[in-house]
């Protein structure tokens, strides 16, 4: 399997700044990054819009296939899909509000994040104005404001005659989720004055989440969907989940075990060494930088290295995570 290619640390925007870690008695900081469509919500916001007010489901399925085969880039196809919309924003949102279904336990999980000082960030290939409006509606504006959204921006004309994505990155993906998490790691590096580093968590459902997921220490994949399928096929270590209640329970367990083994200091008990080579050096030393490769075809997203590891402490076994690779029927 090809060696991991670690992205460079990029200075992170102020709005994504991570909490300062200073108290030696403090539990290790957990920072969550989550996909949106198919993960927090069961449906895809873009698909709902395209099917109702744009190119339609048949054309959308053809375009989706062109992405999968590599005939066209995600960015190219997405521009056609968004460009097919001819509906004012508020009118388009009506069909999303009627169709979208939020994960039954997400609100409780988000409340747990707030109560435990766990930053929760959405990382999406969608359009930020849409995602913010959805969160405002389903969670309320106060709770929604506590969630940072890292996504593409958009220019939408008042009469709905033009929907134009403003891409976050100049790549074929439009938004390189791996690079966004690398930015978070760069900021986390600055918080390690006492040698303590946070645990990075990624939550997703589809194969397009792999570039971001490979940067995380802990990966959660929605059970029965594409991301889990590829984790099983490629022996990628992950935790399956049916709802965010499963994620909360597992993170509480991980946090407890980490505190027992590390007292919240130094490296986490579970960490991703290839995405965290800078963790191997003192926070006072120079941090290595590496070139980033943004996959342009679905096949490249499958090339996940065996990146997850653990400190050599006796209690927490790698097999616990590996067991989740086996589908329940075979366990």
């Amino acid at each position: 399997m090809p060696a991991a290619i670690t992205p460079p640390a990029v200075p992170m925007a102020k709005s994504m700044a991570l909490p300062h870690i200073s108290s030696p008695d403090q539990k290790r900081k957990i920072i969550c990054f989550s996909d949106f469509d198919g993960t927090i919500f069961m449906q895809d916001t873009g698909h709902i819009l395209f099917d109702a007010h744009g190119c339609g489901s048949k054309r959308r399925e053809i375009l989706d296939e062109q992405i999968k085969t590599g005939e066209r880039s995600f960015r190219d196809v997405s521009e056609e899909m968004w460009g097919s919309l001819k509906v004012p924003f508020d009118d388009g949102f009506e069909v999303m509000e009627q169709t979208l279904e939020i994960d039954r336990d997400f609100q409780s999980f988000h409340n747990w994040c707030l109560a435990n000082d766990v930053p929760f960030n959405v990382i999406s290939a969608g359009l930020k104005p849409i995602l913010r409006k959805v969160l405002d509606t389903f969670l309320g504006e106060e709770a929604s404001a506590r969630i940072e959204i890292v996504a593409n921006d958009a220019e939408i004309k008042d009469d709905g005659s033009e929907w134009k994505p403003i891409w976050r990155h100049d790549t074929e993906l439009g938004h390189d989720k791996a690079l966004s998490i690398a930015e978070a790691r760069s900021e986390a590096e600055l918080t390690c004055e006492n040698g303590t580093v946070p645990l990075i968590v990624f939550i997703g459902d589809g194969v397009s989440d792999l570039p971001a997921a490979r940067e995380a220490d802990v990966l959660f994949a929605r059970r029965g969907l594409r991301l889990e399928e590829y984790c099983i096929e490629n022996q990628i270590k992950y935790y399956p989940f049916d709802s965010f209640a499963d994620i909360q329970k597992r993170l509480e367990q991980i946090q407890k075990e980490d505190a027992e083994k590390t007292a919240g200091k130094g490296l986490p008990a579970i960490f991703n060494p290839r995405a965290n080579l800078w963790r191997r050096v003192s926070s006072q030393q120079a941090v290595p930088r590496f070139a980033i490769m943004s996959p342009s075809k679905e096949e490249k997203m499958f090339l996940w290295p065996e990146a997850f590891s653990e400190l050599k402490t006796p209690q927490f076994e790698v097999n616990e995570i590996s067991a989740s690779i086996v589908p329940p029927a075979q366990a």
Side-chain angles (χ1 to χ4, degrees):
M1 184 171 292
I5 299 178
T6 306
V10 179
M12 194 169 76
K14 185 176 181 180
S15 62
M16 287 182 63
L18 304 179
H20 182 72
I21 300 173
S22 57
S23 172
D25 300 323
Q26 180 178 326
K27 287 184 179 179
R28 184 180 309 282
K29 179 65 66 179
I30 295 175
I31 304 171
C32 288
F33 296 90
S34 176
D35 179 47
F36 192 86
D37 298 313
T39 302
I40 298 176
F41 287 83
M42 302 300 100
Q43 299 81 18
D44 187 293
T45 51
H47 289 180
I48 292 172
L49 278 174
F50 306 145
D51 292 355
H53 298 291
C55 59
S57 60
K58 291 184 178 179
R59 176 61 181 167
R60 176 180 58 78
E61 290 170 2
I62 293 173
L63 295 174
D64 282 340
E65 188 64 24
Q66 289 177 347
I67 296 175
K68 292 178 181 179
T69 61
E71 180 181 344
R72 297 172 65 186
S73 70
F74 174 86
R75 176 170 173 167
D76 184 30
V77 167
S78 295
E79 287 180 346
E80 178 177 334
M81 289 181 177
W82 291 113
S84 72
L85 293 175
K86 305 297 178 187
V87 61
F89 181 89
D90 289 340
D91 293 345
F93 183 75
E94 288 181 5
V95 69
M96 286 191 288
E97 187 174 8
Q98 296 168 4
T99 307
L100 284 172
E101 176 188 359
I102 193 170
D103 180 283
R104 64 182 181 271
D105 294 310
F106 177 76
Q107 289 174 293
S108 296
F109 173 79
H110 186 234
N111 289 335
W112 175 83
C113 289
L114 295 176
N116 290 274
D117 193 24
V118 175
F120 185 89
N121 308 274
V122 166
I123 289 191
S124 172
L127 303 186
K128 188 173 181 178
I130 294 175
L131 307 188
R132 180 60 71 193
K133 178 69 172 178
V134 170
L135 289 177
D136 286 350
T137 301
F138 282 82
L139 298 182
E141 293 184 8
E142 183 177 351
S144 171
R146 304 291 295 273
I147 297 176
E148 176 67 26
I149 298 177
V150 187
N152 304 300
D153 213 326
E155 292 180 356
I156 305 171
K157 289 190 175 181
D158 291 341
D159 63 359
S161 61
E162 183 178 11
W163 292 60
K164 181 181 178 183
I166 306 301
W167 300 108
R168 185 173 176 85
H169 298 125
D170 187 18
T171 68
E172 292 184 356
L173 295 173
H175 177 194
D176 190 329
K177 296 180 182 180
L179 183 55
S180 290
I181 291 189
E183 293 171 354
R185 287 202 177 282
S186 178
E187 181 68 14
E189 174 189 331
L190 302 177
T191 70
C192 299
E193 294 180 0
N194 64 352
T196 298
V197 292
L199 186 78
I200 304 296
V201 174
F202 186 81
I203 307 162
D205 71 292
V207 70
S208 65
D209 294 322
L210 277 175
R214 71 184 179 207
E215 301 303 317
D217 299 307
V218 177
L219 169 62
F220 290 93
R222 186 172 285 282
R223 196 187 305 274
L225 298 182
R226 296 287 284 173
L227 181 57
E228 183 182 44
E229 290 177 4
Y230 286 111
C231 286
I232 293 171
E233 290 173 6
N234 294 276
Q235 297 188 336
I236 299 166
K237 298 180 178 69
Y238 75 105
Y239 292 112
F241 74 97
D242 294 305
S243 80
F244 274 79
D246 301 327
I247 297 172
Q248 178 179 329
K249 182 178 179 180
R250 177 62 67 177
L251 288 181
E252 288 173 340
Q253 178 183 347
I254 289 173
Q255 192 172 52
K256 178 182 178 182
E257 291 172 342
D258 182 82
E260 292 173 351
K261 296 177 189 181
T262 71
K265 299 178 181 179
L267 291 167
I270 304 174
F271 71 101
N272 181 350
R274 289 184 175 86
N276 295 280
L277 292 181
W278 61 266
R279 288 178 167 180
R280 299 180 181 180
V281 298
S282 165
S283 59
Q284 276 72 44
Q285 294 176 325
V287 178
R289 301 287 187 254
F290 297 89
I292 185 169
M293 177 181 67
S294 299
S296 59
K297 294 183 176 65
E298 192 180 32
E299 289 79 4
K300 292 182 180 178
M301 296 177 183
F302 307 161
L303 301 180
W304 178 303
E306 279 293 319
F308 290 79
S309 183
E310 288 194 352
L311 291 176
K312 293 183 179 179
T313 50
Q315 299 175 7
F316 192 95
E317 298 296 331
V318 176
N319 288 339
E320 181 178 352
I321 305 179
S322 301
S324 67
I325 297 175
V326 181
Q330 300 177 18

